Amino acid sequence: MTRRKKIYEGKAKTLYEGPEPGTIIQYFKDDATAFNAEKKAVIEGKGVLNNMLSEYFMTGLNNIGVPTHFLKRLNMREQLVRSVEIVPLEVIVRNFAAGTMAKRLGLEEGTQLPRPIVEYCLKDDKLGDPLVTEEHIAAFGWASQQDMDDILSLALRVNDFLSGIMFGVGIRLIDFKIEIGRIYEGDFMRLIVADEISPDSCRLWDIETGQKLDKDVFRRDLGSLTDAYTEVAKRLGVLPKGATPMTRPTLIN
């Protein structure tokens, strides 16, 4: 068997050279990190669930005309995706105050915001992914003004899609983070949603009880992360509703 060429290894995923030019294999690990990797654990089955859920969300976005890097799921832990040039920003959309926003502004967690607020952080683990403004982005050339207009439009379309999907299964979308990639087709460049969309990158609260169904379960020691992610997968139909939480869930094709 030919040994695959590793391109990059991050906290939650490993990227390998794809079978065709312009493609990458994205492998979802079981590693969980929080507080800029100060807290770490290996949670069996997490990567499988995130692979399934990200496939579900990315496929849904592709189907409504929001372009993503996702091509297909290869197996329990791997996806085939387009190779992109990542814009060095984390794009955060907030519908309710939580996490760092609640602390910065002295807001009670769960406070509904007047409208969705989009924030940007520089992707730099050594600096702790600092919050930046559009002035910073323009001044340092991380993205053009046209890029920023397109990124804002993509982020709000993703928010509309995810909010509706989650509301339909009794989950409130508090906030989420996406990354954006550039792809080049001849002389033409366009921006697409990249990386992943999963409970690792979203805050998801049960509408009735406020129960957290996202990585805050791990951050705050609120119980089993696998159980929380499994609950999200069951509600969305990615797992059978009658399935019991398990570390190695059966996939539905």
Side-chain angles (χ1 to χ4, degrees):
M1 182 176 177
T2 304
R3 185 176 179 83
R4 295 188 300 188
K5 181 181 177 182
K6 184 192 293 186
I7 299 172
Y8 171 80
E9 183 166 2
K11 290 177 281 191
K13 294 182 296 297
T14 303
L15 304 181
Y16 297 95
E17 196 172 70
E20 302 291 339
T23 64
I24 285 175
I25 294 172
Q26 182 167 257
Y27 176 91
F28 287 76
K29 303 193 296 184
D30 283 341
D31 298 35
T33 63
F35 312 119
N36 202 23
E38 290 180 10
K39 182 176 183 179
K40 300 178 183 179
V42 176
I43 300 172
E44 187 177 1
K46 171 181 164 294
V48 173
L49 287 162
N50 279 348
N51 183 18
M52 296 161 57
L53 287 163
S54 193
E55 174 196 15
Y56 177 87
F57 295 129
M58 293 289 193
T59 300
L61 289 169
N62 284 335
N63 288 343
I64 65 168
V66 178
T68 80
H69 74 160
F70 177 81
L71 294 171
K72 65 179 179 178
R73 175 172 56 81
L74 298 174
N75 52 49
M76 296 278 277
R77 291 185 179 274
E78 295 180 330
Q79 299 177 356
L80 183 68
V81 301
R82 290 186 180 91
S83 177
V84 301
E85 176 188 294
I86 290 290
V87 177
L89 300 170
E90 294 182 346
V91 183
I92 302 164
V93 183
R94 300 184 183 275
N95 299 305
F96 297 82
T100 57
M101 169 180 264
K103 291 178 182 177
R104 284 198 318 266
L105 302 181
L107 298 172
E108 183 179 351
E109 280 211 317
T111 300
Q112 185 167 3
L113 302 174
R115 60 179 177 82
I117 293 177
V118 181
E119 297 180 331
Y120 306 99
C121 291
L122 177 64
K123 278 177 56 63
D124 191 321
D125 286 342
K126 292 179 181 178
L127 298 176
D129 301 324
L131 191 69
V132 294
T133 68
E134 289 196 37
E135 281 291 305
H136 293 108
I137 295 165
F140 293 108
W142 298 323
S144 69
Q145 185 56 58
Q146 183 59 59
D147 288 344
M148 293 308 300
D149 292 344
D150 293 343
I151 287 170
L152 179 62
S153 176
L154 281 172
L156 293 177
R157 290 178 72 191
V158 173
N159 188 45
D160 287 344
F161 171 75
L162 291 180
S163 294
I165 289 287
M166 291 302 182
F167 186 80
V169 295
I171 295 174
R172 180 169 286 123
L173 178 66
I174 302 300
D175 57 36
F176 66 92
K177 176 198 75 176
I178 55 173
E179 294 185 14
I180 302 295
R182 298 183 178 99
I183 60 170
Y184 296 87
E185 297 163 345
D187 294 332
F188 178 69
M189 184 278 291
R190 64 178 176 139
L191 298 173
I192 64 175
V193 179
D195 192 44
E196 69 175 291
I197 299 176
S198 74
D200 266 12
S201 58
C202 303
R203 279 194 175 88
L204 307 171
W205 296 2
D206 180 87
I207 288 175
E208 296 295 329
T209 66
Q211 178 187 0
K212 292 175 175 58
L213 300 170
D214 55 69
K215 201 164 76 168
D216 275 348
V217 171
F218 172 70
R219 290 186 187 99
R220 304 182 185 188
D221 297 316
L222 299 177
S224 166
L225 193 66
T226 304
D227 287 359
Y229 288 16
T230 298
E231 176 65 19
V232 174
K234 288 196 300 182
R235 293 197 195 187
L236 292 169
V238 176
L239 287 175
K241 289 188 177 180
T244 55
M246 45 191 163
T247 57
R248 296 188 181 275
T250 302
L251 293 179
I252 299 176
N253 290 308

